[in-house]
Amino acid sequence: MNFIEGAPCRAADATHIQSTQEDEYNFGYLDEQTKRMIRRAILKAIAIPGYQVPFAGREMPMPYGWGTGGIQLSASVLGSDDIFKVIDQGADDTTNAVSIRKFFARVTNVNTTERTEEASVIQTRHRIPEIPLSDDQIMIYQVPIPEPLRWVEARESETRKMHALEEYGVMHVQLYEDIARHGRIATNFMYPVKVNDRYIMSPSPIPKFDNPKLHMSPALHIFGAGREKRIYAVPPYTIVKSLDFEDHPFEVESWDNCCGLCGAKDSYLDEVILNNEGERMFVCSDTDYCTHRREQGHLGPMAAREDIAELKGERA
Amino acid sequence: MYVAVKGGEKAIDNAHCLMAEERRGDTNIPEMTVSQILQQMRLAVDRVMSEGSLYDPALAALAIKQSRGDLVEAVFLLRAYRTTLPRFGISNPIDTSAMHVRRRISATFKDIPGGQILGPTFDYTHRLLDFTLAAESEPRPVQTDIPDEAPMPRVMDILSAEGLLEQKETDGEANVGDITRDPVTFPAERDIRLQNLARGDEGFLLALGYSSQRGFGDSHPFAGEIRMGDVAVSMTPEELGFEIEIGDITISECEMVTSFTGSKTELPKFTRGYGLSFGYCERKVMAMALVDRSLQTRELGGDIVAPSQDEEFVLSHSDNVEAQGFVQHLKLPHYVDFQADLIMMRSMREEILKQTKADKKEAA
Amino acid sequence: MQENALNTVTPGLKNPAQDNQRIFRAILLTMSRPGTVTVLGNWAEPPTALYPATAAVCLTLADMDTPLWIGKNGPQDVQTYLRFHCGSPMVRKQEKASFAVILDGTDLPDLTLFNQGDLEYPDRSATVIIQVKTIEVGRGVKLTGPGIKNEMQIEVGGLHPDFWQDFRQNNQNFPLGLDVILATPTEIVSLPRTVQVEV
């Protein structure tokens, strides 16, 4: 692959098209100036934990809403020494995760892995891995709506003021209305957090089950919203508190079941409908965690069943 | 049987093969060439260039072929390619009064210096399907006077000379914003708004412009002038220090004029709305001009009461590449978040049912 | 730009795409883990007054969109080097700069004159790179805050003693404030505005 910053001028006929090949794309797809702009935004995001830094997001070759923010962050962060893991819904082999991993293998030659511990950079949509992250890791989140106050105030011009003045009363009012109406806070994912005791931040649509993993995490967490053109971050060892009330403390989901495949009781479980009779089972959403446990000999109550071979997805 | 979302890689490859097969269609029918699209689907090419924000007819035609005629998808392909292009410099502002005009009409005056030029337009065609097109046919030869080559002043400039028109913003020295380089912030200035609208989805602008005519917003516009033709693009490279022409582009331009009855500080005058596009996108530039005028409500001291006047609403939702992505991302798996809601839903129902049972018991 | 001036400009980065990435990751590491020192010595060959580590940071982060300030007495060859390799406009007024390079840490300008950002856009503040003589870890001032597990200690040689007091004030203005990168000829350590200092 060549790393050419320039490209030839175009004539107004169809004959030049053949010369436009994919090897004219830069390392990491984005041009150097764009990466510099994104890198500056990342550094400011780290210096102001939880604050959303506007950046001039670029059109990427995948649709907005499909991880363009995370992809731009990864493109600006990744190097040839990295080992890259991509998950969607906790799984390495969902179609979008496969597609993104393939893209980076093509434009950066980066090594990829499914093992959480092996990865130096993990791009994710909707989950944080179950295995505790380490000091050497960078988490990159795909974010659809970065603004935690969007559901109480649709206007950017207003929410910006609310963040500036730390006027978060409406957010608490809304959460408390939930409690008054439903006896609980009816937010289960994208559950707002307060970072470093200053900014209210959306942790992206991770289930609230994952929120505690952000608190004092040894890893660096960077969030990218491509369509909304915002980057924000939680540095390592930073206080991240899920919003709650004294009489209604923050709680995470729990299951009566364990993982049908590996028997885990401590992981986030997906419910899978097995057949038209409505038979269902619960499996770890973190496929690497589940596979690893089974390799270590942990077996769940349904591990022996043969009609779920695809679910087991043995590592190649 | 459980339908796996796993084994993604093979599924994706297969999807791409199926797509290519369907794109080609029946192989007994000759394959369409990019040049054919370029020549014969020119209005599609023009729309894709405009909303794709890249003047390259051949690449736009290729994008249309690749997208099987899905123009929003083609716009997306062109945008994604555009991102990777280096920037050599910034052109000088184009001068549309020096346009080589192919079409030019004004609805505000019966006749105008330089004349009305109908040009190639659907306007007065009777919308009857032309079955002769179903067979291959040569068009009838055109009988027309060749338009005057002399520069044609814009109709609005004539009004402007009389002082009836709001003054143009002629801050030629000031930097013009670029939403592809800096994120939009609110309130947004007119240069930013116009760039956003020029890239905006034609259907969205059409609906908004239409709504402003129907009373959602107070706008009673006249089409001051609509013109389409070719203009020269020039730039002044720093190392040369003088202007050089780098090529010609086809553009459409529309200026709408709306009466403004004045305020405490302003005499009654006409205000304008402006629309510009690459290629021949007349409906787009007319809708754009309506929305541009609506978005000036804030500056003119009016109340924001209609969607077309609300710049945050308009500018945040005009881009079809953004919109189609986010709407369609709902196709992606969301089962982790759905599970979270499922758990809550079940436990809430359980609690309520338990409570009702207990209440009943008590009552009994 | 004059041709003879260009002939004398010393080299920048050899493989911009890969070098920029590696340098950025080093900066990212120090910014997300304040007090951690990384080595950035071998990338660029700037004029004497500009440390290779400083040059590496500038080449990786600054460009035509980021005005650069190097003070009234910035040597001509340093200005030419940065203008040529980064393409940054050089500004005279401190408040206009996105990046500032202070060539001698013992001779500090009034840091409060740099852009501190505003409450709606605190990210618009300046990043200031200060050249110092030495950085030693494990003793000296105590650093705490986001990015630091318990606490870090650094001792910096060749830095005006008032700096730490100024930086404490900087921290108190959060979310406004400067982010600082201290550079020896070959190493950097970063002090984002979140860092609390105990002298």
Side-chain angles (χ1 to χ4, degrees):
Chain A
M1 193 172 288
N2 296 322
F3 303 114
I4 300 170
E5 275 214 76
C9 282
R10 310 252 161 259
D13 59 55
T15 54
H16 69 272
I17 292 175
Q18 284 74 13
S19 70
T20 310
Q21 297 293 332
E22 92 184 39
D23 64 357
E24 284 184 16
Y25 292 126
N26 194 26
F27 178 81
Y29 182 77
L30 296 170
D31 60 279
E32 287 309 296
Q33 203 182 339
T34 299
K35 283 190 263 181
R36 238 186 329 263
M37 176 269 294
I38 293 171
R39 286 166 180 161
R40 289 194 295 261
I42 294 173
L43 295 176
K44 286 296 175 194
I46 290 168
I48 317 164
Y51 164 78
Q52 303 161 51
V53 180
F55 82 113
R58 300 290 196 245
E59 267 101 2
M60 296 301 285
M62 348 356 216
Y64 282 120
W66 299 53
T68 54
I71 291 163
Q72 288 179 78
L73 289 177
S74 292
S76 306
V77 163
L78 282 176
S80 43
D81 304 336
D82 276 308
I83 301 175
F84 190 42
K85 172 179 163 87
V86 186
I87 48 173
D88 186 338
Q89 311 295 297
D92 297 90
D93 57 357
T94 44
T95 39
N96 201 40
V98 169
S99 161
I100 291 170
R101 191 163 52 235
K102 223 172 157 180
F103 174 72
F104 279 106
R106 195 154 124 188
V107 297
T108 63
N109 290 320
V110 71
N111 290 309
T112 61
T113 184
E114 296 191 0
R115 278 278 154 91
T116 300
E117 313 92 302
E118 281 175 11
S120 57
V121 178
I122 302 173
Q123 181 171 328
T124 181
R125 180 170 167 262
H126 296 191
R127 278 308 314 273
I128 299 177
E130 306 293 2
I131 292 174
L133 300 167
S134 73
D135 280 291
D136 311 317
Q137 294 180 309
I138 299 174
M139 285 290 294
I140 291 177
Y141 297 76
Q142 303 174 198
V143 182
I145 303 280
E147 179 51 71
L149 307 171
R150 192 55 77 227
W151 315 120
V152 290
E153 170 55 61
R155 277 169 204 285
E156 166 70 16
S157 35
E158 291 301 317
T159 52
R160 188 157 287 278
K161 276 187 213 126
M162 290 156 76
H163 284 295
L165 304 172
E166 219 177 335
E167 268 177 15
Y168 292 137
V170 284
M171 189 74 181
H172 287 96
V173 168
Q174 197 219 15
L175 292 177
Y176 211 86
E177 274 176 7
D178 265 12
I179 294 173
R181 205 173 302 149
H182 313 296
R184 72 187 73 210
I185 294 173
T187 300
N188 305 307
F189 52 89
M190 226 159 31
Y191 191 104
V193 295
K194 198 162 201 183
V195 181
N196 193 32
D197 207 26
R198 174 60 177 82
Y199 284 99
I200 287 189
M201 184 193 94
S202 167
S204 86
I206 55 172
K208 62 182 179 177
F209 179 89
D210 285 339
N211 275 20
K213 296 175 185 168
L214 285 166
H215 178 63
M216 296 307 271
S217 166
L220 167 65
H221 304 260
I222 336 177
F223 300 77
R227 194 177 36 78
E228 299 280 341
K229 299 178 176 55
R230 297 287 184 275
I231 290 171
Y232 54 100
V234 175
Y237 304 110
T238 298
I239 297 165
V240 179
K241 194 178 176 314
S242 301
L243 300 186
D244 64 355
F245 300 93
E246 260 177 38
D247 49 345
H248 280 90
F250 174 76
E251 278 174 358
V252 299
E253 299 83 345
S254 60
W255 287 259
D256 299 330
N257 308 64
C258 64
C259 171
L261 298 178
C262 77
K265 292 192 179 96
D266 57 354
S267 77
Y268 191 88
L269 300 178
D270 293 328
E271 186 172 333
V272 179
I273 299 172
L274 290 171
N275 50 36
N276 293 342
E277 284 70 56
E279 191 191 355
R280 52 197 72 197
M281 70 182 288
F282 290 86
V283 291
C284 291
S285 115
D286 184 337
T287 48
D288 171 62
Y289 183 69
C290 193
T291 311
H292 196 49
R293 277 180 53 86
R294 277 179 281 145
E295 280 170 4
Q296 287 174 333
H298 299 281
L299 288 181
M302 298 177 84
R305 268 177 71 149
E306 277 167 20
D307 61 340
I308 53 169
E310 265 186 282
L311 259 185
K312 293 187 212 165
E314 253 81 63
R315 226 194 288 268
Chain B
M1 184 52 206
Y2 169 76
V3 181
V5 280
K6 315 221 166 194
E9 187 139 14
K10 221 175 233 168
I12 291 174
D13 285 345
N14 275 335
H16 294 171
C17 292
L18 280 171
M19 181 71 170
E21 203 177 285
E22 298 227 341
R23 176 189 298 123
R24 178 61 184 88
D26 184 348
T27 50
N28 292 316
I29 309 289
E31 183 174 349
M32 191 159 53
T33 67
V34 171
S35 300
Q36 282 171 349
I37 298 171
L38 187 59
Q39 292 298 322
Q40 297 170 35
M41 291 282 137
R42 186 59 199 220
L43 296 183
V45 168
D46 287 351
R47 180 176 173 191
V48 170
M49 289 198 300
S50 278
E51 291 170 27
S53 210
L54 181 70
Y55 196 95
D56 191 324
L59 287 185
L62 174 64
I64 292 168
K65 180 175 180 180
Q66 188 177 333
S67 67
R68 303 171 64 197
D70 180 336
L71 297 191
V72 174
E73 180 72 18
V75 167
F76 181 17
L77 286 168
L78 211 57
R79 288 265 193 98
Y81 177 74
R82 179 190 188 278
T83 318
T84 66
L85 296 177
R87 228 162 253 252
F88 296 119
I90 296 168
S91 74
N92 299 325
I94 54 172
D95 178 8
T96 54
S97 67
M99 177 190 281
H100 177 80
V101 171
R102 284 194 270 153
R103 170 168 166 77
R104 186 236 201 170
I105 50 171
S106 170
T108 49
F109 295 100
K110 183 168 184 186
D111 203 1
I112 41 176
Q116 309 252 17
I117 301 166
L118 213 46
T121 176
F122 291 125
D123 285 354
Y124 302 101
T125 59
H126 297 144
R127 268 59 167 201
L128 304 170
L129 276 175
D130 181 356
F131 293 101
T132 61
L133 284 174
E136 283 161 31
S137 66
E138 291 292 315
R140 277 185 300 148
V142 180
Q143 293 173 344
T144 177
D145 299 330
I146 290 157
D148 207 345
E149 285 294 319
M152 277 189 204
R154 281 180 299 247
V155 174
M156 305 295 274
D157 294 343
I158 301 166
L159 276 179
S160 183
E162 205 183 323
L164 281 171
L165 207 57
E166 62 174 324
Q167 282 313 300
K168 256 189 283 185
E169 299 157 43
T170 47
D171 51 351
E173 296 299 305
N175 281 331
V176 177
D178 183 350
I179 58 173
T180 68
R181 309 257 278 183
D182 296 302
V184 176
T185 54
F186 299 104
E189 295 305 311
R190 190 156 175 234
D191 54 340
I192 296 296
R193 301 197 303 248
L194 285 170
Q195 188 190 8
N196 177 289
L197 298 180
R199 288 159 56 94
D201 183 74
E202 180 182 313
F204 179 74
L205 297 186
L206 186 65
L208 278 177
Y210 178 45
S211 73
S212 78
Q213 288 178 285
R214 279 195 71 259
F216 285 79
D218 182 27
S219 187
H220 304 280
F222 301 93
E225 182 173 354
I226 297 160
R227 56 166 71 193
M228 182 274 291
D230 303 315
V231 293
V233 180
S234 67
M235 62 182 290
T236 312
E238 219 158 294
E239 60 270 31
L240 290 184
F242 56 85
E243 187 175 293
I244 50 166
E245 255 187 48
I246 53 174
D248 287 321
I249 61 172
T250 304
I251 56 161
S252 304
E253 185 185 48
C254 172
E255 288 201 274
M256 292 279 181
V257 58
T258 300
S259 34
F260 171 65
T261 47
S263 65
K264 276 177 197 155
T265 51
E266 303 259 4
L267 280 173
K269 63 183 177 185
F270 289 110
T271 55
R272 53 174 128 202
Y274 187 74
L276 185 82
S277 78
F278 287 150
Y280 187 17
C281 302
E282 190 160 288
R283 190 169 44 224
K284 163 72 181 274
V285 294
M286 290 181 76
M288 175 176 169
L290 291 178
V291 178
D292 170 47
R293 173 57 186 80
S294 270
L295 291 176
Q296 291 168 44
T297 307
R298 171 170 55 85
E299 283 118 337
L300 292 168
D303 294 328
I304 312 286
V305 291
S308 66
Q309 299 169 329
D310 184 334
E311 65 175 30
E312 193 163 338
F313 178 78
V314 174
L315 303 189
S316 304
H317 303 112
S318 61
D319 191 292
N320 58 25
V321 177
E322 290 176 4
Q324 66 100 11
F326 198 49
V327 167
Q328 295 196 75
H329 105 285
L330 293 172
K331 291 186 268 194
L332 292 177
H334 281 79
Y335 54 78
V336 163
D337 292 344
F338 186 71
Q339 183 66 37
D341 273 354
L342 204 55
I343 292 172
M344 182 190 73
M345 213 60 86
R346 284 190 183 127
S347 95
M348 278 170 80
R349 286 171 61 95
E350 207 171 297
E351 260 169 48
I352 293 167
L353 289 175
K354 214 186 266 172
Q355 191 59 46
T356 345
K357 225 183 211 172
D359 289 351
K360 262 188 196 157
K361 222 177 219 173
E362 218 163 89
Chain C
M1 205 176 283
Q2 288 139 14
E3 213 175 304
N4 53 357
L6 292 188
N7 287 339
T8 60
V9 175
T10 50
L13 302 175
K14 288 175 197 79
N15 304 303
Q18 277 86 344
D19 293 355
N20 278 333
Q21 189 271 337
R22 293 206 174 94
I23 295 166
F24 169 67
R25 284 293 282 278
I27 303 168
L28 181 68
L29 178 75
T30 62
M31 198 59 89
S32 57
R33 297 169 198 281
T36 302
V37 177
T38 63
V39 177
L40 276 186
N42 306 320
W43 300 95
E45 294 170 40
T48 339
L50 193 68
Y51 295 161
T54 313
V57 172
C58 291
L59 265 51
T60 295
L61 296 181
D63 58 27
M64 59 177 109
D65 295 329
T66 56
L68 192 64
W69 181 93
I70 63 165
K72 285 194 196 89
N73 304 322
Q76 199 57 48
D77 57 350
V78 173
Q79 291 201 28
T80 307
Y81 182 88
L82 292 173
R83 202 182 283 130
F84 179 74
H85 286 299
C86 304
S88 304
M90 295 286 166
V91 289
R92 282 163 179 272
K93 289 192 171 152
Q94 279 177 259
E95 71 264 25
K96 299 247 181 205
S98 305
F99 286 95
V101 174
I102 296 167
L103 294 169
D104 178 359
T106 62
D107 183 18
L108 297 177
D110 181 351
L111 296 177
T112 61
L113 294 181
F114 287 114
N115 186 353
Q116 311 284 313
D118 59 69
L119 276 175
E120 292 198 6
Y121 296 96
D123 57 298
R124 292 181 180 169
S125 67
T127 303
V128 180
I129 306 156
I130 305 176
Q131 299 196 146
V132 298
K133 284 207 174 64
T134 56
I135 302 170
E136 279 182 71
V137 181
R139 57 197 175 101
V141 294
K142 280 185 191 157
L143 311 177
T144 53
I148 301 169
K149 193 173 183 182
N150 298 310
E151 62 172 39
M152 294 287 284
Q153 276 186 289
I154 56 170
E155 184 158 280
V156 182
L159 182 62
H160 196 285
D162 286 351
F163 171 82
W164 296 111
Q165 189 49 47
D166 294 348
F167 198 79
R168 274 166 86 144
Q169 189 53 52
N170 186 58
N171 169 259
Q172 272 153 30
N173 295 337
F174 187 88
L176 307 188
L178 305 176
D179 305 307
V180 172
I181 299 176
L182 300 175
T184 71
T186 56
E187 306 152 319
I188 60 163
V189 71
S190 295
L191 301 170
R193 67 196 82 175
T194 47
V195 172
Q196 286 154 29
V197 178
E198 201 183 308
V199 185

